[in-house]
Amino acid sequence: MTNSARSSNENPTGSAYDAAINELNKLLLILENVTNSITTSKYNPFYYHGALPQFYLWVLFLSGLLLFAYYIPTIDNAYLSARLVNAWTSVQYITDKLPFGGIIRCIHRYAGDAMVIFTVLHAIRVWFTDRYRQYRWVQWVTGIILFLMVLFIGQTGYYLVWDERSLLLTRMTASALEVLPIFGGPLKTAFLNGETITNLTLSNFLFIHIGLSFTLLFVLWLHYVRMTRPVITPPPAINYILVASILLVAFMFPITSGKMADLNTAPTSFEMDWFFLFPYAFMSAVPLVVFWVGGVIIAFVALVLPWLVRNVSPPVIPAEVVIDKCTGCSLCYKDCPYQAIEMVPAPAGSRFKLLATVKTARCSSCGICVGACAFDAIDLPNLTDSDVTAQIKALVEAK
Amino acid sequence: MIKSGKDLLIIVLAASCLIVSLVLQPWAELGFNGDFPAWISWLTGWLGIDKFFNWLGNCQFAKDIQEFLSQQGAQANFGEYAYCLFLFVALIVAAIAIILIGREESEEKLLLPVKK
Amino acid sequence: MADKKRVITLICERAADVNDIVGPSGLVNGMPELGMVKFPCSGMIQPLMIEAALKAGAEGVIVCGCQLGDCYYREGNKMIRERLLGERPPGLKKTVDRRRVMALWLSRLQKERFLSESKEFIARLGSMEKVEAKS
Ligand code: HEM
Ligand code: SF4
Ligand code: SF4
């Protein structure tokens, strides 16, 4: 009888989906074991999966600030027309004339690519290790939103360069927006900041690029709000490797600019950046209707994934506070990893000031609060303190 | 002080990190030669670093780097891209050394300290 | 085996996978000196539980959680580690014999490591017993 502890990770229903995720989880475990044997757990990048994209975000902010200092968001600049000064020539100036300007540009671009890669790896890890549903749904949903935002920010970055690729991407986006029902026209006007491409268009792109980047910080706050002490900084040795790898790519693939965009030409193809521009490949391969319907379906399925498989998740049975034992010491509140405990004023007549209460929707049923409580005042209903002590006693005495 | 092969490796890594960042990075930044008007006198006089840099610049690997970069489409500032390469080396070497030192602190087994 | 002393393992069900070696009674097959209590997370282990096991007559206690950094519930193994070391309340009482407590941080795939470490631990406790019996 002693083994009454539940074993929820032993595929609860045996569905095909569960079996597949189980296999993928095992694969990850093997990879992580190999990494542990090289780096030990202290430096295992898998254990900093969320901190890696966060680190690249800081790199992007810093390098972006440097580029912003010299970038001019116009397609031509009449009052300086003696020498044409526009977005493209300012980027050219940054790349060729400014000391280390080209390098900063490489760092900004490749850190963006790296952020996409590590965001996807982070999402894959939380998915395969079953860390994405139930009480974690807020992190998952904000994660998908973050990913879409990162993609769009990267794409606006590509418009800003104002070479032929930028022109083609801008036109493709405008015509894709135009076909949308009801909002199509206004969206296109909002995107171009007018009916056609003008100087105002590029200032709009710059505004979106920078504005959305700062909005990321707000959405990240939502991403983190249900986690106590989120791990957002990898150890320095890993940071060195993260920076070094972008530098190597910068050396291997220096950025070369395309031709300046010319509104009187109609470029038809461009060099692909698969990390940010893959939606455009999809767009040019299928009719626009298919692009929009397909895109919306994919995004929607990704957003509701935590609920699609809800029926196979073992139910989470939240921790319960034993009201007359709780002393209000707050230890459980400090240690709960999902911010699921709130300290409220104790009921009238209590000897203590505070009382712990469990916010059931956030609780993961991990029992960390049980380990934190020195007064046996909080319990998991399906494995109480007294169950544990009884099991221990029975085991010591078993024949 | 040097008790094992690992200690020796760490010292070698630290030394190569220093050499790369004190010699190769400035050399790349100067554009692969020692023609720099503002040298501190003891660096050129006593150390002869300008001559050393010029000699390095004539070595085959300096030419290889430049040829590789122009093949990859870099239009200018080859030295800056080479600087990236050397900074990459210095950072990776430093990271390996730090991990070699820090992995000692990592644990899979914890025995509680017995207080007397 | 009735009067042979026992070592109790308090283990996270996601750490070293021992499901196929634990019998219905909670004892490890072929190693009756080792008993297992499973938890949803090693962070649920309260130092009082370790004291309870030792008081009930266990020879030693092994705490086993996942690799540090890989807790499914984010921080559970760090919490119990700090509690064992006295860096986070609640800790072990001063009177607890620290030599009788060992913690292991092992991933799901490290069953063999778990078994070899526990055998070693049990042997060490055995020799400790002999020395103490003599003096
Ligand atoms: C901008 C990109 C992102 C950043 C910087 C980021 C960062 C983080 C960080 C630092 C954590 C905390 C890890 C921990 O301390 O345990 C985390 C957790 C999480 N993230 Fe993200 N994330 C990003 C995008 C995403 C995406 C695209 C998804 C999935 C669609 C996602 C899903 C999750 C989930 C489900 C958790 C909770 C994991 C747990 O509770 O163990 N995130 N994220
Ligand atoms: S079981 Fe306790 S520590 Fe874990 S999430 Fe619920 S309230 Fe927080
Ligand atoms: S640790 Fe226990 S006593 Fe302290 S606040 Fe939480 S439930 Fe109450």
Side-chain angles (χ1 to χ4, degrees):
Chain A
M1 60 120 310
T2 40
N3 250 306
S4 62
R6 77 218 160 105
S7 52
S8 54
N9 55 339
E10 289 300 297
N11 61 62
T13 60
S15 74
Y17 174 82
D18 270 11
I21 293 287
N22 245 340
E23 285 311 307
L24 292 165
N25 194 354
K26 252 184 225 150
L27 192 75
L28 264 182
L29 270 173
I30 293 173
L31 276 176
E32 288 169 19
N33 257 25
V34 172
T35 319
N36 271 338
S37 66
I38 301 166
T39 63
T40 72
S41 59
K42 199 176 164 195
Y43 298 105
N44 190 334
F46 286 103
Y47 299 163
Y48 300 94
H49 54 129
L52 302 179
Q54 176 73 73
F55 177 77
Y56 278 123
L57 184 62
W58 301 135
V59 174
L60 285 164
F61 272 122
L62 194 63
S63 53
L65 187 70
L66 297 172
L67 295 179
F68 177 64
Y70 289 89
Y71 180 75
I72 298 170
T74 53
I75 60 176
D76 65 68
N77 198 324
Y79 60 87
L80 280 169
S81 60
R83 276 187 303 121
L84 180 64
V85 175
N86 68 2
W88 188 85
T89 55
S90 72
V91 171
Q92 223 37 41
Y93 175 80
I94 292 171
T95 316
D96 292 340
K97 298 275 160 37
L98 211 60
F100 283 90
I103 305 298
I104 298 292
R105 209 183 144 200
C106 284
I107 289 175
H108 196 65
R109 176 176 298 181
Y110 296 135
D113 289 340
M115 185 172 170
V116 172
I117 295 172
F118 283 106
T119 307
V120 170
L121 290 179
H122 164 60
I124 285 179
R125 187 171 192 266
V126 295
W127 184 18
F128 289 177
T129 59
D130 200 13
R131 281 174 160 104
Y132 69 100
R133 50 190 171 174
Q134 296 170 322
Y135 49 91
R136 287 171 167 117
W137 70 269
V138 175
Q139 286 94 311
W140 179 266
V141 170
T142 52
I144 297 288
I145 295 170
L146 279 168
F147 182 68
L148 295 176
M149 287 173 71
V150 167
L151 272 191
F152 189 51
I153 294 168
Q155 289 159 4
T156 51
Y158 274 110
Y159 313 152
L160 287 176
V161 183
W162 210 240
D163 56 8
E164 289 186 328
R165 167 163 61 188
S166 315
L167 180 59
L168 180 57
L169 291 175
T170 305
R171 284 184 176 150
M172 283 174 83
T173 314
S175 37
L177 289 173
E178 210 172 12
V179 301
L180 288 175
I182 310 169
F183 302 107
L187 271 179
K188 182 191 160 191
T189 316
F191 177 70
L192 294 180
N193 203 8
E195 291 309 316
T196 52
I197 298 173
T198 62
N199 282 338
L200 298 178
T201 309
L202 272 196
S203 40
N204 192 36
F205 289 167
L206 186 62
F207 176 74
I208 296 175
H209 188 72
I210 296 176
L212 271 188
S213 299
F214 281 98
T215 315
L216 268 187
L217 293 178
F218 171 71
V219 183
L220 274 172
W221 172 67
L222 295 177
H223 196 62
Y224 298 157
V225 77
R226 281 197 175 186
M227 290 184 281
T228 318
R229 300 168 286 268
V231 179
I232 55 172
T233 331
I238 292 188
N239 293 344
Y240 290 2
I241 295 173
L242 295 179
V243 172
S245 38
I246 330 181
L247 291 174
L248 181 65
V249 180
F251 172 78
M252 303 281 293
F253 306 101
I255 293 183
T256 50
S257 300
K259 278 208 203 96
M260 191 195 310
D262 177 351
L263 289 179
N264 301 318
T265 62
T268 50
S269 67
F270 60 84
E271 210 187 308
M272 197 61 191
D273 176 320
W274 285 103
F275 303 111
F276 284 112
L277 301 181
F278 66 89
Y280 288 93
F282 182 37
M283 194 190 287
S284 58
V286 297
L288 279 179
V289 186
V290 180
F291 170 78
W292 280 117
V293 174
V296 168
I297 290 178
I298 292 171
F300 182 74
V301 168
L303 277 172
V304 300
L305 197 65
W307 294 275
L308 281 184
V309 288
R310 186 193 204 166
N311 49 341
V312 303
S313 322
V316 170
I317 303 168
E320 280 170 12
V321 178
V322 185
I323 294 179
D324 48 349
K325 280 191 184 171
C326 173
T327 65
C329 70
S330 300
L331 288 182
C332 57
Y333 160 81
K334 282 183 196 132
D335 288 1
C336 172
Y338 287 105
Q339 305 262 311
I341 293 180
E342 194 180 5
M343 300 307 297
V344 299
S350 164
R351 286 187 293 140
F352 306 105
K353 288 208 186 80
L354 295 170
L355 173 71
T357 40
V358 177
K359 292 183 179 166
T360 49
R362 294 186 176 193
C363 178
S364 67
S365 182
C366 63
I368 290 177
C369 49
V370 178
C373 184
F375 305 94
D376 276 1
I378 192 161
D379 258 327
L380 292 189
N382 53 353
L383 183 65
T384 61
D385 261 335
S386 38
D387 289 346
V388 171
T389 349
Q391 278 190 46
I392 291 175
K393 281 232 172 73
L395 273 178
V396 175
E397 284 152 19
K399 302 258 149 97
Chain B
M1 193 191 143
I2 303 176
K3 284 196 212 86
S4 65
K6 202 185 92 178
D7 292 349
L8 192 69
L9 181 61
I10 289 171
I11 289 172
V12 170
L13 288 172
S16 35
C17 179
L18 270 180
I19 291 172
V20 171
S21 49
L22 290 181
V23 177
L24 291 184
Q25 279 176 230
W27 170 64
E29 203 182 344
L30 289 176
F32 308 109
N33 62 47
D35 306 333
F36 179 56
W39 279 120
I40 304 170
S41 57
W42 60 266
L43 277 176
T44 46
W46 179 65
L47 268 178
I49 197 156
D50 51 342
K51 284 171 218 95
F52 175 64
F53 275 9
N54 279 328
W55 173 79
L56 262 188
N58 288 323
C59 290
Q60 188 55 36
F61 92 104
K63 289 174 192 135
D64 288 347
I65 289 177
Q66 297 181 56
E67 196 189 326
F68 172 80
L69 280 169
S70 51
Q71 256 172 27
Q72 294 302 98
Q75 281 130 354
N77 311 327
F78 289 172
E80 293 175 5
Y81 288 101
Y83 183 93
C84 281
L85 178 67
F86 297 138
L87 187 52
F88 157 79
V89 175
L91 283 170
I92 290 286
V93 165
I96 294 174
I98 294 173
I99 290 177
L100 278 177
I101 296 169
R103 78 204 291 280
E104 307 260 287
E105 280 163 35
S106 171
E107 76 186 28
E108 284 187 346
K109 174 160 83 170
L110 172 67
L111 298 173
L112 301 190
V114 184
K115 278 183 209 118
K116 290 281 152 62
Chain C
M1 279 295 167
D3 43 22
K4 180 146 193 197
K5 287 223 174 169
R6 246 188 208 113
V7 168
I8 303 294
T9 302
L10 309 176
I11 190 169
C12 162
E13 62 181 6
R14 290 170 197 273
D17 185 359
V18 291
N19 282 321
D20 56 337
I21 51 164
V22 179
S25 61
L27 298 180
V28 174
N29 299 334
M31 251 176 104
E33 61 274 33
L34 191 59
M36 295 278 191
V37 183
K38 280 204 250 165
F39 290 84
C41 174
S42 61
M44 182 176 173
I45 299 165
Q46 221 277 358
L48 284 171
M49 297 170 184
I50 297 169
E51 285 158 30
L54 293 174
K55 225 188 246 159
E59 206 183 356
V61 175
I62 300 173
V63 167
C64 184
C66 303
Q67 284 277 349
L68 293 172
D70 190 28
C71 178
Y72 180 77
Y73 296 106
R74 304 191 52 248
E75 301 186 305
N77 49 7
K78 280 185 195 148
M79 296 290 170
I80 181 62
R81 179 178 177 275
E82 289 174 17
R83 285 187 190 123
L84 289 174
L85 288 171
E87 294 164 1
R88 175 179 284 274
L92 280 169
K93 279 208 193 71
K94 279 217 178 73
T95 50
V96 171
D97 185 351
R98 319 264 141 170
R99 296 170 304 171
R100 296 183 183 279
V101 184
M102 171 175 80
L104 296 171
W105 319 115
L106 301 174
S107 89
R108 208 158 171 65
L109 306 175
Q110 290 177 289
K111 177 175 83 183
E112 296 310 320
R113 175 85 195 270
F114 172 78
L115 285 175
S116 63
E117 290 289 352
S118 3
K119 276 188 195 128
E120 203 181 285
F121 183 60
I122 292 171
R124 196 160 60 232
L125 290 175
S127 57
M128 232 163 79
E129 216 77 341
K130 269 184 213 139
V131 172
E132 263 154 40
K134 266 184 206 156
S135 60

